[in-house]
């Protein structure tokens, strides 16, 4: 069996979720790791069965290995551009954490470099692979609620005694626009929500955003509360509401956050009632149609399953030659959403997507 040999560049907290399917799937194996923090590289590498001579602090050493087919790039946003170009130059297939770049010009160069090198380029997005989202999409594709007319997404951040312990040094870059590209909630985590809007409704024509600012603690400003609205072709609309509630205690095993989605069609409504965590004791997917309410609970709901499914999809794509999701071009489309929202908030007016080409 052809084995996909994987090198992981960046072994911080999120790498644990990226590694699950690579370790479990018989068609893939993690063979190398690199992280500027030696302790992270060594602890993850040994946990994943990586040989000592394939554990590095400089990712260029990993890219020089002939027995690495694919690199999973899990670096801060401002490092994506150069790392992706270096990986393409080394003829390695690429799975790149979202958002793919800080600008569309960078994204274009990354896409071009991957094409020139003849390597697969995936922008990693897990939320569209979250099982309740997959079920909602299957119901919509089957015509259960008719043609979708609107989408509403709500993202709540708070606190939790069970949330991940993120080292301060590992999160500081998310609060700096020059390294993150925007704020932690609307630009960084917001990519998931923009991807959901794209997944269900397609590419928007126009975006309008209000992005506020809340001090989580001295020197750490969250881009919240925020409201982003979209106008899609054919008289369809959507919105994203992002709220940080510092005293709200959430049920989660990962980030102290939860998400809800409501999609209204010509015939009915579908709700996805959870995301990162769980706020409501209700089924993960609910549908209303024809004076009846239908509930769906026959699916895993842990956030980690979105990573498992996304990685499994990519392994399948690699072995079958099918395009991954997100392709570089699709990742660029979602990046256009996020950049347009940032521009709208700065300008105080709506922004047409055609202005970002």
């Amino acid at each position: 069996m052809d084995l996909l040999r994987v090198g992981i560049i960046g072994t911080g907290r999120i790498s644990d979720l990226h590694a699950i399917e690579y370790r479990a799937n018989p068609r893939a194996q993690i063979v190398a790791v690199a992280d500027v923090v030696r302790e992270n590289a060594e602890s993850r590498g040994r946990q994943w069965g990586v040989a000592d001579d394939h554990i590095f602090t400089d990712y260029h050493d990993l890219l020089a290995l002939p027995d690495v087919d694919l690199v999973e790039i899990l670096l801060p946003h401002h490092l994506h551009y150069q790392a992706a170009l270096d990986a393409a130059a080394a003829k390695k297939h690429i799975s790149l954490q979202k958002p793919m770049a800080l600008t569309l010009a960078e994204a274009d160069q990354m896409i071009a470099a991957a094409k020139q090198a003849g390597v697969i380029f995936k922008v990693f997005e897990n939320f569209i692979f979250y099982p309740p989202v997959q079920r909602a999409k299957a119901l919509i594709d089957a015509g259960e609620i008719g043609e979708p007319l609107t989408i509403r997404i709500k993202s709540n951040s708070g606190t939790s005694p069970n949330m991940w312990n993120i080292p301060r040094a590992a999160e500081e870059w998310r609060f700096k626009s020059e390294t993150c590209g925007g704020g932690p909630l609307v630009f960084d985590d917001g990519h998931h929500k923009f991807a959901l809007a794209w997944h269900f409704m397609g590419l928007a024509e126009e975006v309008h955003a209000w992005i506020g600012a809340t001090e989580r603690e001295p020197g750490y400003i969250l881009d919240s509360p925020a409201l982003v609205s979209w106008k899609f072709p054919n008289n369809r609309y959507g919105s994203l509401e992002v709220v940080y509630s510092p005293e709200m205690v959430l049920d989660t095993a990962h980030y102290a956050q939860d998400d809800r989605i409501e999609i209204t069609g010509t015939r009915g409504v579908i709700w996805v009632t959870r995301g990162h965590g769980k706020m409501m004791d209700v089924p993960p997917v609910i549908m209303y149609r024809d004076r009846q309410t239908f509930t769906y609970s026959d699916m895993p709901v842990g956030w980690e399953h979105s990573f498992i499914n996304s990685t499994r999809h990519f392994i399948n794509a690699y072995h079958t030659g099918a395009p991954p999701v997100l392709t570089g071009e699709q990742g660029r489309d979602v990046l256009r959403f996020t950049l347009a929202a940032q521009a709208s908030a700065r300008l105080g007016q709506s922004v047409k997507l055609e202005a970002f080409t």
Side-chain angles (χ1 to χ4, degrees):
M1 179 182 293
D2 185 20
L3 188 68
L4 174 60
R5 299 166 299 179
V6 179
I8 295 185
I9 299 175
T11 57
R13 176 82 268 192
I14 202 69
S15 70
D16 291 328
L17 296 180
H18 284 261
I20 295 174
E21 181 62 15
Y22 286 129
R23 298 182 67 199
N25 197 305
R27 297 175 300 166
Q29 181 182 358
I30 300 172
V31 299
V33 298
D35 195 291
V36 294
V37 179
R38 180 174 293 277
E39 181 183 355
N40 285 347
E42 291 180 347
S43 63
R44 293 308 197 289
R46 289 166 183 164
Q47 177 185 345
W48 300 337
V50 175
D52 286 347
D53 63 355
H54 279 43
I55 297 175
F56 306 103
T57 55
D58 186 336
Y59 75 76
H60 294 92
D61 295 327
L62 184 153
L63 293 178
L65 295 173
D67 57 343
V68 170
D69 305 308
L70 161 79
V71 289
E72 189 90 15
I73 300 174
L74 310 177
L75 299 174
H77 304 159
H78 69 297
L79 302 177
H80 288 184
Y81 171 71
Q82 191 60 54
L85 294 185
D86 292 340
K91 303 294 185 181
K92 307 300 185 187
H93 301 296
I94 301 165
S95 175
L96 177 67
Q97 248 290 353
K98 59 77 196 166
M100 63 187 296
L102 301 187
T103 68
L104 291 178
E106 288 183 348
D108 289 337
Q109 292 179 57
M110 295 155 76
I111 293 169
K115 286 184 176 179
Q116 182 176 359
V119 299
I120 304 168
F121 184 22
K122 170 185 175 172
V123 177
F124 190 93
E125 171 53 50
N126 60 293
F127 250 63
I128 63 175
F129 289 96
Y130 183 49
V133 169
Q134 291 180 311
R135 178 62 59 84
K137 187 66 162 63
L139 290 168
I140 291 170
D141 289 347
E144 294 289 348
I145 62 167
E147 293 297 320
L149 299 173
T150 63
I151 182 169
R152 297 199 303 174
I153 304 172
K154 178 70 173 286
S155 181
N156 249 126
S157 296
T159 187
S160 173
N162 302 317
M163 65 183 179
W164 266 352
N165 178 27
I166 307 295
R168 179 58 58 94
E171 71 167 357
E172 286 181 340
W173 65 268
R174 298 182 189 274
F175 290 85
K176 301 175 183 178
S177 60
E178 63 270 24
T179 52
C180 182
L185 298 180
V186 180
F187 187 84
D188 181 12
D189 182 69
H191 184 282
H192 296 305
K193 283 66 182 184
F194 289 98
L196 287 169
W198 167 86
H199 186 56
F200 284 109
M201 307 292 283
L203 189 63
E205 293 180 331
E206 193 169 349
V207 178
H208 189 269
W210 292 274
I211 301 177
T214 299
E215 188 174 61
R216 191 188 71 179
E217 57 189 279
Y220 289 79
I221 306 298
L222 290 171
D223 45 343
S224 168
L227 182 62
V228 182
S229 57
W230 305 293
K231 180 179 182 295
F232 297 95
N234 302 318
N235 199 34
R236 298 173 302 133
Y237 296 86
S239 65
L240 164 65
E241 182 182 346
V242 177
V243 182
Y244 170 58
S245 304
E247 299 174 18
M248 181 182 292
V249 182
L250 298 171
D251 183 5
T252 180
H254 301 103
Y255 294 119
Q257 186 171 334
D258 198 28
D259 315 283
R260 284 93 72 202
I261 308 168
E262 177 184 289
I263 302 165
T264 302
T266 55
R267 189 183 177 194
V269 183
I270 287 178
W271 293 268
V272 176
T273 66
R274 65 191 67 184
H276 286 81
K278 173 188 173 185
M279 289 180 63
M280 298 182 289
D281 191 17
V282 296
V285 179
I286 302 171
M287 179 176 71
Y288 173 81
R289 190 198 68 216
D290 299 332
R291 297 189 296 172
Q292 297 183 72
T293 299
F294 305 85
T295 62
Y296 304 88
S297 299
D298 56 334
M299 70 201 76
V301 296
W303 190 52
E304 67 275 9
H305 288 281
S306 64
F307 287 80
I308 292 169
N309 288 342
S310 183
T311 302
R312 185 177 300 159
H313 170 84
F314 190 32
I315 294 170
N316 290 338
Y318 170 81
H319 285 290
T320 63
V325 176
L326 303 171
T327 64
E329 289 81 2
Q330 291 168 338
R332 184 188 189 279
D333 281 342
V334 178
L335 181 61
R336 287 178 69 192
F337 271 63
T338 62
L339 292 175
Q342 300 293 312
S344 172
R346 288 195 305 268
L347 297 171
Q349 63 186 48
S350 64
V351 170
K352 294 187 181 298
L353 265 290
E354 63 186 18
F356 291 84
T357 57

